[in-house]
Amino acid sequence: MKNKSNQITIIYLVTALFVAIVFHKTLLKFSLIENYPSYGFLKDITLILLTGIVYRYILSKNQNQDKEVLEKLQSTNNEIKESNEKYDIVAKATSDTIWDWKIQEDKLFWNKGIKAIFGYNEDEVGDSSKWWFDNIHPEDSIKMSIKLYSFIEQKTNNWQDEYRFKCADNSYKYVLDKGFLLKDENGKAIRMIGAIQDITKQKEEELRLKLLETVIVQTKDSIIITEADFNKRQLPKTVYVNPAFSVMTGYEPNEIIGQSPDILKGPNSDINDIKKIIKAIQNKEESLIEMISYRKNREQFWLRFSMIPIYNSENEISHWVSIQRDVSDEKKQEKEKEQLIRELTKNNKDLKEFSYITSHNLRAPISNLTGLLSLIEDIPIEDSELKEILFGFDKSTHLLNETINDLTKVMIIKDNLSIQKEDLFLKDVFEDVFSQLSFQIDLHKPILQIDFEQVSVLNINKTYIESILLNLLTNALKYRAESKTLKITITASQNNDSTTLVFKDNGIGIDLERNRDKIFGLYQRFHDYPDSKGLGLYLVKSQVEAMNGTISIESQVNKGTTFTLTFKNK
């Protein structure tokens, strides 16, 4: 800059001197001024030199001032450039959405975070505060705008708020918005710069933790949280108990927190249960334990609790959670149930023995009575009244003998847990049964429809299946309808891993609305027939179930009855 001033001064001096010389020569040549003295020329030269010096001084001073201004401008530009570079770096480095609001002009600028976080393209983003407020959740908008404008009026510098902001896909995200207010020299708010941070996951986690806290506090089960490691020679220290723990044990939180759960032990606590707890902690494994524990008043109770290890982000156990329940009533019921089972088992055994003894002891007298009655048949009796008495006595004796035989069959079925099965041809089984009922079949001449095409062989117990079919056929013949010809249909079908036998007749049927619950009961009679004992269907169901099968019935009065028997295959 100094060289430039010298150059300008030299140019000025050279030019001025040149003009002065030319002017002086011209005056002398044309004698425009007579007697023009030489000292006048010297005076002009001196004046030019003096003005050159002054001119240089002024130029130098102005140039110094310009230099200072230029340096300041350069410094300001550098600061602005550096600030912009920092802004760009921060904008790129942060995941926040940065906004810049010129309040007086209501101009709003958003950085690229508006797309990264909320999915808005540049042409979808408004440039005023209206677009901003319109995208705030309706439940948050009024509250947020009131707080913001109140903050601007108060003229404090820093502001922050939480609200929900709408995304481009019309969903909402929870955000934390922080802003800084810029003011002019009169303290008037002119600009506000802020950053919006997505805190949706944080909010969801807070809600989840709040929900878990509510569950823990409200649950009826006692919950204890302890440290991970042993407390010297005791179990880990307690760090939290829920209200249910105090209700169950009588200990207030301040009495147990910082202490070991060992205070729940007592004289009758099993040392083996304590060892299970220690082993679970040492092996860092879940465990379920039941033990006798003691309340604060030293009342004994049964405690069932789980031990669950809690791991931190480094996959290290940080705590143990124990969910506990007072199971004293359950233990009492289990004990009563075991006692009842023992008593029932003993009573059942006694009843079986009584049944066997009774059956055995009755057989001999009944055999004697049967023999005596057969002898009396050979003796001619003329007294009709005595003859009728002996006939009734003979019938009752035979009925009693049949009842004892049937009861013996039932007891044998109930006692025999392993039934011997074999592959049988269904056709052969039915032929044996029909041969036993040949007299009744010839007498009543029923229409028989038998279809064994799908299943010809069945793996089953021969004695039981013959007894079942014999009872069902006998009932069909006995309870036939007098007004129509008896029709009996028997079919067999295969279904996946089971075989189904369907036995259907068109007899007088049973009123299931009144008797469904009693159909297979012992000594249940549904028709007023003198020789009906009410034992046949009970015996059928017992035999079917003894072979792991099922039986069901469908019946309508005066229309008929259908029995469906299902047996599992091998």
mmCIF file of all heavy atoms in Angstrom, residues 483-528:
data_model
loop_
_atom_site.group_PDB
_atom_site.id
_atom_site.type_symbol
_atom_site.label_atom_id
_atom_site.label_comp_id
_atom_site.label_asym_id
_atom_site.label_seq_id
_atom_site.Cartn_x
_atom_site.Cartn_y
_atom_site.Cartn_z
ATOM 1 N N SER A 483 -94.533 -102.169 17.093
ATOM 2 C CA SER A 483 -95.331 -101.773 15.939
ATOM 3 C C SER A 483 -94.586 -101.863 14.613
ATOM 4 O O SER A 483 -95.167 -101.612 13.557
ATOM 5 C CB SER A 483 -95.838 -100.342 16.123
ATOM 6 O OG SER A 483 -94.738 -99.449 16.274
ATOM 7 N N LYS A 484 -93.286 -102.170 14.664
ATOM 8 C CA LYS A 484 -92.524 -102.231 13.411
ATOM 9 C C LYS A 484 -91.444 -103.300 13.505
ATOM 10 O O LYS A 484 -91.034 -103.718 14.605
ATOM 11 C CB LYS A 484 -91.885 -100.872 13.093
ATOM 12 C CG LYS A 484 -91.057 -100.283 14.214
ATOM 13 C CD LYS A 484 -90.624 -98.860 13.898
ATOM 14 C CE LYS A 484 -89.899 -98.233 15.089
ATOM 15 N NZ LYS A 484 -89.521 -96.831 14.830
ATOM 16 N N THR A 485 -90.974 -103.692 12.347
ATOM 17 C CA THR A 485 -89.937 -104.724 12.286
ATOM 18 C C THR A 485 -88.609 -104.145 12.765
ATOM 19 O O THR A 485 -88.204 -103.046 12.372
ATOM 20 C CB THR A 485 -89.772 -105.250 10.850
ATOM 21 O OG1 THR A 485 -91.028 -105.755 10.399
ATOM 22 C CG2 THR A 485 -88.724 -106.343 10.789
ATOM 23 N N LEU A 486 -87.934 -104.863 13.661
ATOM 24 C CA LEU A 486 -86.648 -104.419 14.188
ATOM 25 C C LEU A 486 -85.591 -104.433 13.089
ATOM 26 O O LEU A 486 -85.446 -105.433 12.372
ATOM 27 C CB LEU A 486 -86.223 -105.317 15.351
ATOM 28 C CG LEU A 486 -84.851 -105.015 15.953
ATOM 29 C CD1 LEU A 486 -84.818 -103.608 16.545
ATOM 30 C CD2 LEU A 486 -84.501 -106.058 17.025
ATOM 31 N N LYS A 487 -84.864 -103.310 13.000
ATOM 32 C CA LYS A 487 -83.795 -103.203 12.021
ATOM 33 C C LYS A 487 -82.510 -102.820 12.758
ATOM 34 O O LYS A 487 -82.468 -101.817 13.480
ATOM 35 C CB LYS A 487 -84.138 -102.152 10.962
ATOM 36 C CG LYS A 487 -83.075 -101.997 9.885
ATOM 37 C CD LYS A 487 -83.504 -100.935 8.866
ATOM 38 C CE LYS A 487 -82.435 -100.752 7.794
ATOM 39 N NZ LYS A 487 -82.818 -99.714 6.785
ATOM 40 N N ILE A 488 -81.459 -103.609 12.565
ATOM 41 C CA ILE A 488 -80.172 -103.365 13.232
ATOM 42 C C ILE A 488 -79.096 -103.181 12.165
ATOM 43 O O ILE A 488 -78.940 -104.039 11.278
ATOM 44 C CB ILE A 488 -79.801 -104.520 14.181
ATOM 45 C CG1 ILE A 488 -80.872 -104.697 15.268
ATOM 46 C CG2 ILE A 488 -78.430 -104.272 14.807
ATOM 47 C CD1 ILE A 488 -80.646 -105.906 16.154
ATOM 48 N N THR A 489 -78.373 -102.051 12.267
ATOM 49 C CA THR A 489 -77.301 -101.753 11.309
ATOM 50 C C THR A 489 -75.978 -101.650 12.066
ATOM 51 O O THR A 489 -75.877 -100.922 13.062
ATOM 52 C CB THR A 489 -77.574 -100.431 10.575
ATOM 53 O OG1 THR A 489 -78.841 -100.529 9.917
ATOM 54 C CG2 THR A 489 -76.485 -100.152 9.545
ATOM 55 N N ILE A 490 -74.969 -102.376 11.576
ATOM 56 C CA ILE A 490 -73.645 -102.354 12.205
ATOM 57 C C ILE A 490 -72.617 -102.073 11.107
ATOM 58 O O ILE A 490 -72.539 -102.816 10.122
ATOM 59 C CB ILE A 490 -73.319 -103.684 12.908
ATOM 60 C CG1 ILE A 490 -74.419 -104.048 13.906
ATOM 61 C CG2 ILE A 490 -71.971 -103.596 13.607
ATOM 62 C CD1 ILE A 490 -74.284 -105.446 14.483
ATOM 63 N N THR A 491 -71.837 -100.999 11.265
ATOM 64 C CA THR A 491 -70.816 -100.629 10.277
ATOM 65 C C THR A 491 -69.490 -100.355 10.964
ATOM 66 O O THR A 491 -69.445 -99.964 12.147
ATOM 67 C CB THR A 491 -71.233 -99.377 9.482
ATOM 68 O OG1 THR A 491 -71.410 -98.280 10.387
ATOM 69 C CG2 THR A 491 -72.512 -99.609 8.714
ATOM 70 N N ALA A 492 -68.410 -100.562 10.226
ATOM 71 C CA ALA A 492 -67.053 -100.275 10.726
ATOM 72 C C ALA A 492 -66.342 -99.389 9.710
ATOM 73 O O ALA A 492 -66.469 -99.584 8.500
ATOM 74 C CB ALA A 492 -66.281 -101.567 10.936
ATOM 75 N N SER A 493 -65.598 -98.391 10.200
ATOM 76 C CA SER A 493 -64.880 -97.469 9.304
ATOM 77 C C SER A 493 -63.536 -97.110 9.906
ATOM 78 O O SER A 493 -63.350 -97.164 11.130
ATOM 79 C CB SER A 493 -65.697 -96.200 9.047
ATOM 80 O OG SER A 493 -65.943 -95.514 10.264
ATOM 81 N N GLN A 494 -62.607 -96.750 9.024
ATOM 82 C CA GLN A 494 -61.258 -96.379 9.426
ATOM 83 C C GLN A 494 -61.113 -94.857 9.342
ATOM 84 O O GLN A 494 -61.525 -94.248 8.360
ATOM 85 C CB GLN A 494 -60.230 -97.039 8.507
ATOM 86 C CG GLN A 494 -58.801 -96.956 9.003
ATOM 87 C CD GLN A 494 -58.502 -98.048 10.010
ATOM 88 O OE1 GLN A 494 -59.253 -99.000 10.128
ATOM 89 N NE2 GLN A 494 -57.415 -97.917 10.741
ATOM 90 N N ASN A 495 -60.514 -94.238 10.372
ATOM 91 C CA ASN A 495 -60.343 -92.781 10.380
ATOM 92 C C ASN A 495 -58.988 -92.450 10.992
ATOM 93 O O ASN A 495 -58.837 -92.487 12.211
ATOM 94 C CB ASN A 495 -61.470 -92.110 11.178
ATOM 95 C CG ASN A 495 -61.363 -90.607 11.161
ATOM 96 O OD1 ASN A 495 -60.711 -90.040 10.282
ATOM 97 N ND2 ASN A 495 -61.980 -89.971 12.124
ATOM 98 N N ASN A 496 -58.000 -92.148 10.104
ATOM 99 C CA ASN A 496 -56.633 -91.840 10.560
ATOM 100 C C ASN A 496 -56.098 -92.973 11.419
ATOM 101 O O ASN A 496 -55.839 -94.064 10.939
ATOM 102 C CB ASN A 496 -56.604 -90.504 11.301
ATOM 103 C CG ASN A 496 -56.933 -89.339 10.377
ATOM 104 O OD1 ASN A 496 -56.688 -89.405 9.179
ATOM 105 N ND2 ASN A 496 -57.512 -88.286 10.925
ATOM 106 N N ASP A 497 -55.944 -92.729 12.729
ATOM 107 C CA ASP A 497 -55.324 -93.735 13.595
ATOM 108 C C ASP A 497 -56.345 -94.444 14.484
ATOM 109 O O ASP A 497 -56.000 -94.976 15.530
ATOM 110 C CB ASP A 497 -54.260 -93.078 14.481
ATOM 111 C CG ASP A 497 -54.844 -91.973 15.348
ATOM 112 O OD1 ASP A 497 -55.985 -91.547 15.085
ATOM 113 O OD2 ASP A 497 -54.151 -91.533 16.288
ATOM 114 N N SER A 498 -57.613 -94.433 14.094
ATOM 115 C CA SER A 498 -58.640 -95.066 14.915
ATOM 116 C C SER A 498 -59.659 -95.795 14.042
ATOM 117 O O SER A 498 -59.787 -95.538 12.849
ATOM 118 C CB SER A 498 -59.351 -94.031 15.787
ATOM 119 O OG SER A 498 -60.010 -93.079 14.969
ATOM 120 N N THR A 499 -60.378 -96.705 14.690
ATOM 121 C CA THR A 499 -61.441 -97.465 14.025
ATOM 122 C C THR A 499 -62.752 -97.194 14.753
ATOM 123 O O THR A 499 -62.797 -97.192 15.992
ATOM 124 C CB THR A 499 -61.138 -98.971 14.054
ATOM 125 O OG1 THR A 499 -59.907 -99.205 13.372
ATOM 126 C CG2 THR A 499 -62.251 -99.761 13.392
ATOM 127 N N THR A 500 -63.808 -96.977 13.987
ATOM 128 C CA THR A 500 -65.111 -96.638 14.560
ATOM 129 C C THR A 500 -66.133 -97.707 14.216
ATOM 130 O O THR A 500 -66.276 -98.111 13.053
ATOM 131 C CB THR A 500 -65.604 -95.278 14.029
ATOM 132 O OG1 THR A 500 -64.654 -94.278 14.369
ATOM 133 C CG2 THR A 500 -66.948 -94.918 14.638
ATOM 134 N N LEU A 501 -66.854 -98.205 15.260
ATOM 135 C CA LEU A 501 -67.967 -99.133 15.088
ATOM 136 C C LEU A 501 -69.249 -98.384 15.409
ATOM 137 O O LEU A 501 -69.353 -97.747 16.467
ATOM 138 C CB LEU A 501 -67.838 -100.342 16.014
ATOM 139 C CG LEU A 501 -66.686 -101.320 15.749
ATOM 140 C CD1 LEU A 501 -66.696 -102.430 16.796
ATOM 141 C CD2 LEU A 501 -66.810 -101.931 14.356
ATOM 142 N N VAL A 502 -70.215 -98.434 14.517
ATOM 143 C CA VAL A 502 -71.512 -97.782 14.734
ATOM 144 C C VAL A 502 -72.585 -98.855 14.798
ATOM 145 O O VAL A 502 -72.746 -99.667 13.865
ATOM 146 C CB VAL A 502 -71.828 -96.774 13.603
ATOM 147 C CG1 VAL A 502 -73.193 -96.136 13.833
ATOM 148 C CG2 VAL A 502 -70.750 -95.705 13.530
ATOM 149 N N PHE A 503 -73.320 -98.858 15.940
ATOM 150 C CA PHE A 503 -74.378 -99.847 16.182
ATOM 151 C C PHE A 503 -75.694 -99.081 16.263
ATOM 152 O O PHE A 503 -75.899 -98.278 17.171
ATOM 153 C CB PHE A 503 -74.094 -100.598 17.488
ATOM 154 C CG PHE A 503 -74.963 -101.784 17.711
ATOM 155 C CD1 PHE A 503 -74.491 -103.060 17.464
ATOM 156 C CD2 PHE A 503 -76.273 -101.645 18.169
ATOM 157 C CE1 PHE A 503 -75.296 -104.167 17.668
ATOM 158 C CE2 PHE A 503 -77.076 -102.746 18.373
ATOM 159 C CZ PHE A 503 -76.600 -104.007 18.118
ATOM 160 N N LYS A 504 -76.606 -99.338 15.316
ATOM 161 C CA LYS A 504 -77.833 -98.548 15.210
ATOM 162 C C LYS A 504 -79.053 -99.459 15.154
ATOM 163 O O LYS A 504 -79.041 -100.492 14.477
ATOM 164 C CB LYS A 504 -77.774 -97.674 13.957
ATOM 165 C CG LYS A 504 -78.962 -96.739 13.779
ATOM 166 C CD LYS A 504 -78.757 -95.877 12.538
ATOM 167 C CE LYS A 504 -79.913 -94.907 12.335
ATOM 168 N NZ LYS A 504 -79.725 -94.057 11.134
ATOM 169 N N ASP A 505 -80.117 -99.066 15.893
ATOM 170 C CA ASP A 505 -81.382 -99.806 15.824
ATOM 171 C C ASP A 505 -82.544 -98.828 15.715
ATOM 172 O O ASP A 505 -82.368 -97.614 15.905
ATOM 173 C CB ASP A 505 -81.550 -100.730 17.039
ATOM 174 C CG ASP A 505 -81.717 -99.952 18.343
ATOM 175 O OD1 ASP A 505 -82.643 -99.122 18.434
ATOM 176 O OD2 ASP A 505 -80.929 -100.193 19.292
ATOM 177 N N ASN A 506 -83.725 -99.325 15.410
ATOM 178 C CA ASN A 506 -84.928 -98.489 15.295
ATOM 179 C C ASN A 506 -85.943 -98.829 16.384
ATOM 180 O O ASN A 506 -87.149 -98.853 16.167
ATOM 181 C CB ASN A 506 -85.571 -98.647 13.913
ATOM 182 C CG ASN A 506 -86.068 -100.061 13.668
ATOM 183 O OD1 ASN A 506 -85.657 -100.996 14.348
ATOM 184 N ND2 ASN A 506 -86.971 -100.233 12.685
ATOM 185 N N GLY A 507 -85.410 -99.108 17.589
ATOM 186 C CA GLY A 507 -86.269 -99.506 18.706
ATOM 187 C C GLY A 507 -86.991 -98.342 19.358
ATOM 188 O O GLY A 507 -87.167 -97.266 18.773
ATOM 189 N N ILE A 508 -87.378 -98.546 20.636
ATOM 190 C CA ILE A 508 -88.201 -97.548 21.341
ATOM 191 C C ILE A 508 -87.392 -96.342 21.803
ATOM 192 O O ILE A 508 -87.963 -95.318 22.159
ATOM 193 C CB ILE A 508 -88.926 -98.193 22.544
ATOM 194 C CG1 ILE A 508 -87.897 -98.749 23.537
ATOM 195 C CG2 ILE A 508 -89.875 -99.279 22.074
ATOM 196 C CD1 ILE A 508 -88.531 -99.342 24.789
ATOM 197 N N GLY A 509 -86.060 -96.427 21.790
ATOM 198 C CA GLY A 509 -85.210 -95.286 22.100
ATOM 199 C C GLY A 509 -85.217 -94.889 23.565
ATOM 200 O O GLY A 509 -85.915 -95.483 24.406
ATOM 201 N N ILE A 510 -84.428 -93.839 23.870
ATOM 202 C CA ILE A 510 -84.271 -93.336 25.243
ATOM 203 C C ILE A 510 -84.430 -91.824 25.222
ATOM 204 O O ILE A 510 -83.946 -91.147 24.305
ATOM 205 C CB ILE A 510 -82.896 -93.725 25.824
ATOM 206 C CG1 ILE A 510 -82.698 -95.236 25.808
ATOM 207 C CG2 ILE A 510 -82.720 -93.185 27.241
ATOM 208 C CD1 ILE A 510 -81.304 -95.685 26.179
ATOM 209 N N ASP A 511 -85.077 -91.279 26.227
ATOM 210 C CA ASP A 511 -85.235 -89.827 26.349
ATOM 211 C C ASP A 511 -83.928 -89.242 26.914
ATOM 212 O O ASP A 511 -83.701 -89.252 28.124
ATOM 213 C CB ASP A 511 -86.409 -89.509 27.276
ATOM 214 C CG ASP A 511 -86.711 -88.012 27.325
ATOM 215 O OD1 ASP A 511 -85.936 -87.236 26.719
ATOM 216 O OD2 ASP A 511 -87.690 -87.626 27.988
ATOM 217 N N LEU A 512 -83.052 -88.733 26.011
ATOM 218 C CA LEU A 512 -81.745 -88.229 26.451
ATOM 219 C C LEU A 512 -81.849 -86.892 27.176
ATOM 220 O O LEU A 512 -80.955 -86.542 27.959
ATOM 221 C CB LEU A 512 -80.810 -88.083 25.241
ATOM 222 C CG LEU A 512 -80.379 -89.396 24.574
ATOM 223 C CD1 LEU A 512 -79.401 -89.116 23.446
ATOM 224 C CD2 LEU A 512 -79.756 -90.348 25.582
ATOM 225 N N GLU A 513 -82.879 -86.121 26.916
ATOM 226 C CA GLU A 513 -83.024 -84.848 27.622
ATOM 227 C C GLU A 513 -83.142 -85.078 29.125
ATOM 228 O O GLU A 513 -82.675 -84.261 29.924
ATOM 229 C CB GLU A 513 -84.248 -84.095 27.106
ATOM 230 C CG GLU A 513 -84.076 -83.563 25.684
ATOM 231 C CD GLU A 513 -85.251 -82.710 25.264
ATOM 232 O OE1 GLU A 513 -86.140 -82.465 26.108
ATOM 233 O OE2 GLU A 513 -85.290 -82.286 24.094
ATOM 234 N N ARG A 514 -83.749 -86.177 29.505
ATOM 235 C CA ARG A 514 -83.920 -86.491 30.923
ATOM 236 C C ARG A 514 -82.817 -87.390 31.452
ATOM 237 O O ARG A 514 -82.464 -87.319 32.629
ATOM 238 C CB ARG A 514 -85.272 -87.182 31.140
ATOM 239 C CG ARG A 514 -86.471 -86.298 30.828
ATOM 240 C CD ARG A 514 -87.753 -87.098 31.005
ATOM 241 N NE ARG A 514 -87.830 -87.728 32.316
ATOM 242 C CZ ARG A 514 -88.775 -88.598 32.682
ATOM 243 N NH1 ARG A 514 -89.690 -88.970 31.799
ATOM 244 N NH2 ARG A 514 -88.782 -89.105 33.897
ATOM 245 N N ASN A 515 -82.238 -88.222 30.586
ATOM 246 C CA ASN A 515 -81.382 -89.298 31.096
ATOM 247 C C ASN A 515 -79.957 -89.302 30.558
ATOM 248 O O ASN A 515 -79.211 -90.240 30.824
ATOM 249 C CB ASN A 515 -82.021 -90.646 30.762
ATOM 250 C CG ASN A 515 -83.416 -90.780 31.340
ATOM 251 O OD1 ASN A 515 -83.618 -90.609 32.539
ATOM 252 N ND2 ASN A 515 -84.389 -91.071 30.479
ATOM 253 N N ARG A 516 -79.534 -88.264 29.780
ATOM 254 C CA ARG A 516 -78.200 -88.311 29.158
ATOM 255 C C ARG A 516 -77.093 -88.520 30.191
ATOM 256 O O ARG A 516 -76.139 -89.282 29.952
ATOM 257 C CB ARG A 516 -77.934 -87.035 28.368
ATOM 258 C CG ARG A 516 -76.602 -87.056 27.629
ATOM 259 C CD ARG A 516 -76.399 -85.809 26.797
ATOM 260 N NE ARG A 516 -77.272 -85.767 25.641
ATOM 261 C CZ ARG A 516 -77.000 -86.362 24.487
ATOM 262 N NH1 ARG A 516 -75.896 -87.083 24.340
ATOM 263 N NH2 ARG A 516 -77.845 -86.270 23.465
ATOM 264 N N ASP A 517 -77.180 -87.862 31.328
ATOM 265 C CA ASP A 517 -76.118 -87.959 32.337
ATOM 266 C C ASP A 517 -76.116 -89.308 33.052
ATOM 267 O O ASP A 517 -75.161 -89.624 33.777
ATOM 268 C CB ASP A 517 -76.268 -86.843 33.363
ATOM 269 C CG ASP A 517 -76.059 -85.466 32.748
ATOM 270 O OD1 ASP A 517 -75.410 -85.394 31.685
ATOM 271 O OD2 ASP A 517 -76.551 -84.476 33.325
ATOM 272 N N LYS A 518 -77.180 -90.083 32.885
ATOM 273 C CA LYS A 518 -77.283 -91.344 33.620
ATOM 274 C C LYS A 518 -77.168 -92.569 32.718
ATOM 275 O O LYS A 518 -77.281 -93.704 33.197
ATOM 276 C CB LYS A 518 -78.627 -91.402 34.356
ATOM 277 C CG LYS A 518 -78.822 -90.275 35.363
ATOM 278 C CD LYS A 518 -80.140 -90.405 36.106
ATOM 279 C CE LYS A 518 -81.328 -90.142 35.196
ATOM 280 N NZ LYS A 518 -82.613 -90.170 35.937
ATOM 281 N N ILE A 519 -76.963 -92.339 31.402
ATOM 282 C CA ILE A 519 -77.015 -93.440 30.434
ATOM 283 C C ILE A 519 -76.097 -94.593 30.819
ATOM 284 O O ILE A 519 -76.488 -95.764 30.815
ATOM 285 C CB ILE A 519 -76.666 -92.932 29.026
ATOM 286 C CG1 ILE A 519 -77.839 -92.121 28.464
ATOM 287 C CG2 ILE A 519 -76.344 -94.089 28.083
ATOM 288 C CD1 ILE A 519 -79.076 -92.948 28.204
ATOM 289 N N PHE A 520 -74.850 -94.274 31.159
ATOM 290 C CA PHE A 520 -73.863 -95.318 31.424
ATOM 291 C C PHE A 520 -73.638 -95.521 32.924
ATOM 292 O O PHE A 520 -72.593 -96.025 33.335
ATOM 293 C CB PHE A 520 -72.543 -94.988 30.732
ATOM 294 C CG PHE A 520 -72.659 -94.898 29.237
ATOM 295 C CD1 PHE A 520 -72.646 -93.677 28.590
ATOM 296 C CD2 PHE A 520 -72.810 -96.045 28.481
ATOM 297 C CE1 PHE A 520 -72.750 -93.594 27.214
ATOM 298 C CE2 PHE A 520 -72.922 -95.987 27.095
ATOM 299 C CZ PHE A 520 -72.908 -94.751 26.460
ATOM 300 N N GLY A 521 -74.605 -95.101 33.720
ATOM 301 C CA GLY A 521 -74.481 -95.259 35.167
ATOM 302 C C GLY A 521 -74.788 -96.672 35.622
ATOM 303 O O GLY A 521 -75.428 -97.468 34.917
ATOM 304 N N LEU A 522 -74.350 -96.974 36.837
ATOM 305 C CA LEU A 522 -74.577 -98.307 37.407
ATOM 306 C C LEU A 522 -76.014 -98.402 37.935
ATOM 307 O O LEU A 522 -76.486 -97.501 38.637
ATOM 308 C CB LEU A 522 -73.565 -98.546 38.532
ATOM 309 C CG LEU A 522 -73.556 -99.930 39.170
ATOM 310 C CD1 LEU A 522 -73.212 -100.997 38.134
ATOM 311 C CD2 LEU A 522 -72.557 -99.970 40.335
ATOM 312 N N TYR A 523 -76.685 -99.463 37.537
ATOM 313 C CA TYR A 523 -78.074 -99.742 37.941
ATOM 314 C C TYR A 523 -79.022 -98.629 37.535
ATOM 315 O O TYR A 523 -79.895 -98.210 38.295
ATOM 316 C CB TYR A 523 -78.156 -99.975 39.460
ATOM 317 C CG TYR A 523 -77.390 -101.201 39.914
ATOM 318 C CD1 TYR A 523 -76.434 -101.109 40.923
ATOM 319 C CD2 TYR A 523 -77.618 -102.451 39.330
ATOM 320 C CE1 TYR A 523 -75.727 -102.219 41.336
ATOM 321 C CE2 TYR A 523 -76.913 -103.570 39.735
ATOM 322 C CZ TYR A 523 -75.966 -103.445 40.733
ATOM 323 O OH TYR A 523 -75.287 -104.550 41.116
ATOM 324 N N GLN A 524 -78.840 -98.133 36.311
ATOM 325 C CA GLN A 524 -79.756 -97.137 35.759
ATOM 326 C C GLN A 524 -80.713 -97.815 34.783
ATOM 327 O O GLN A 524 -80.273 -98.457 33.821
ATOM 328 C CB GLN A 524 -78.975 -96.019 35.053
ATOM 329 C CG GLN A 524 -78.064 -95.220 35.967
ATOM 330 C CD GLN A 524 -78.844 -94.423 36.999
ATOM 331 O OE1 GLN A 524 -79.966 -93.964 36.746
ATOM 332 N NE2 GLN A 524 -78.258 -94.259 38.178
ATOM 333 N N ARG A 525 -82.009 -97.655 35.013
ATOM 334 C CA ARG A 525 -83.031 -98.266 34.167
ATOM 335 C C ARG A 525 -83.879 -97.164 33.544
ATOM 336 O O ARG A 525 -84.279 -96.217 34.222
ATOM 337 C CB ARG A 525 -83.914 -99.213 34.981
ATOM 338 C CG ARG A 525 -83.137 -100.366 35.598
ATOM 339 C CD ARG A 525 -83.995 -101.165 36.552
ATOM 340 N NE ARG A 525 -85.168 -101.710 35.860
ATOM 341 C CZ ARG A 525 -86.166 -102.352 36.499
ATOM 342 N NH1 ARG A 525 -86.121 -102.483 37.821
ATOM 343 N NH2 ARG A 525 -87.199 -102.818 35.817
ATOM 344 N N PHE A 526 -84.144 -97.313 32.233
ATOM 345 C CA PHE A 526 -84.883 -96.277 31.509
ATOM 346 C C PHE A 526 -86.227 -96.783 30.959
ATOM 347 O O PHE A 526 -86.970 -96.006 30.361
ATOM 348 C CB PHE A 526 -84.011 -95.752 30.351
ATOM 349 C CG PHE A 526 -82.622 -95.391 30.796
ATOM 350 C CD1 PHE A 526 -81.540 -96.187 30.448
ATOM 351 C CD2 PHE A 526 -82.406 -94.275 31.608
ATOM 352 C CE1 PHE A 526 -80.267 -95.867 30.875
ATOM 353 C CE2 PHE A 526 -81.128 -93.956 32.026
ATOM 354 C CZ PHE A 526 -80.056 -94.757 31.665
ATOM 355 N N HIS A 527 -86.493 -98.082 31.158
ATOM 356 C CA HIS A 527 -87.761 -98.655 30.714
ATOM 357 C C HIS A 527 -88.256 -99.621 31.787
ATOM 358 O O HIS A 527 -87.458 -100.251 32.496
ATOM 359 C CB HIS A 527 -87.597 -99.402 29.382
ATOM 360 C CG HIS A 527 -87.051 -98.534 28.280
ATOM 361 N ND1 HIS A 527 -87.767 -97.512 27.709
ATOM 362 C CD2 HIS A 527 -85.838 -98.539 27.664
ATOM 363 C CE1 HIS A 527 -87.038 -96.933 26.783
ATOM 364 N NE2 HIS A 527 -85.853 -97.533 26.742
ATOM 365 N N ASP A 528 -89.548 -99.743 31.879
ATOM 366 C CA ASP A 528 -90.154 -100.575 32.919
ATOM 367 C C ASP A 528 -90.262 -102.020 32.442
ATOM 368 O O ASP A 528 -91.342 -102.525 32.141
ATOM 369 C CB ASP A 528 -91.539 -100.010 33.279
ATOM 370 C CG ASP A 528 -92.103 -100.670 34.529
ATOM 371 O OD1 ASP A 528 -91.304 -101.293 35.261
ATOM 372 O OD2 ASP A 528 -93.324 -100.575 34.755
#
